[in-house]
Amino acid sequence: MFIRLTWVKLKRLLLLLLIPGLWLGYREVRGYFERPQAMLVLGGDTKREDFAAEFARQHPHLPIWISSGSNPEYSMAVFADAGIELNRLHIDHAAVDTVTNFTTLVDRFSARGIKSVYLITSDYHMRRSQIIGEIVFGSRGIHLKPVSVPSRYKAEPLSKSLRDGARAVLWLATGHTGSTLSGRYESRYPGK
């Protein structure tokens, strides 16, 4: 009897582990075959926009969204100098931090039927951006394909990624990002 109960519990545990594993595997396979329909460039470093302009030359039909980047004149000049048609460029300054980079744009992407996006940000910032993006954009069925901009900085602390991941979950549950609460933490870590 004891062996039978243990076997039943083991089967249930395996089933509980299998379901998330299949879901994550499905998302990875889907992301591999699904071609991005837009580029999302997170502001915070002009090198991201410089990199994105060159990347946009390799993907001439994709719209380019810049969330809280440099001033619009600089952004437009960078893309114009790279030979990018400015009608592809969408500059949005509604975001105040990394979480709101995603929450302010997710419904616009969804309304346009966008299901896959190149996410362009610095390598040190990518882990946190992906966590937030997977939660916020994933809630609307939008897949992210990360494209890291090389830098000389070390990766952000995991605590910052977990904090902002929790803020993304808060946004899903309440519609609020808690951005007014994050200011007390921002001073401990450089960047946004």
Side-chain angles (χ1 to χ4, degrees):
M1 178 96 166
F2 176 74
I3 294 173
R4 184 173 182 193
L5 286 177
T6 305
W7 179 244
V8 169
K9 288 180 181 179
L10 181 62
K11 286 194 301 187
R12 286 182 184 160
L13 177 64
L14 288 174
L15 184 60
L16 285 174
L17 294 174
L18 181 65
I19 291 171
L22 288 173
W23 180 78
L24 290 172
Y26 162 76
R27 287 193 48 82
E28 285 300 312
V29 169
R30 176 182 153 215
Y32 181 77
F33 289 106
E34 197 165 53
R35 302 186 96 184
Q37 300 162 283
M39 296 168 41
L40 173 59
V41 184
L42 302 187
D45 187 343
T46 56
K47 291 176 185 164
R48 297 175 191 172
E49 292 174 46
D50 297 337
F51 178 94
E54 290 303 314
F55 190 80
R57 291 173 60 157
Q58 300 167 21
H59 301 85
H61 302 295
L62 294 180
I64 305 146
W65 292 77
I66 300 175
S67 180
S68 292
S70 305
N71 66 59
E73 295 78 20
Y74 176 83
S75 298
M76 289 188 284
V78 166
F79 284 88
D81 289 348
I84 306 301
E85 295 176 22
L86 294 182
N87 63 351
R88 293 175 56 197
L89 202 56
H90 304 273
I91 300 172
D92 183 90
H93 283 280
V96 296
D97 58 23
T98 305
V99 176
T100 55
N101 282 144
F102 293 95
T103 60
T104 59
L105 291 175
V106 66
D107 289 329
R108 289 189 209 170
F109 279 58
S110 186
R112 292 172 183 251
I114 295 172
K115 295 293 181 190
S116 184
V117 175
Y118 283 116
L119 172 62
I120 299 175
T121 192
S122 302
D123 52 5
Y124 69 88
H125 188 244
M126 186 57 80
R127 175 178 54 197
R128 180 162 55 118
S129 301
Q130 277 190 273
I131 289 171
I132 298 164
E134 287 294 331
I135 294 167
V136 174
F137 275 34
S139 73
R140 304 296 195 275
I142 301 171
H143 182 266
L144 298 175
K145 189 167 263 191
V147 179
S148 295
V149 178
S151 74
R152 62 182 187 272
Y153 300 110
K154 65 179 186 170
E156 295 174 324
L158 181 60
S159 60
K160 200 170 184 179
S161 298
L162 295 174
R163 179 203 68 204
D164 282 357
R167 288 181 54 215
V169 171
L170 174 69
W171 176 80
L172 284 180
T174 68
H176 299 284
T177 65
S179 61
T180 57
L181 302 175
S182 69
R184 67 181 201 189
Y185 298 105
E186 292 301 319
S187 62
R188 286 198 272 175
Y189 308 110
K192 52 181 225 182

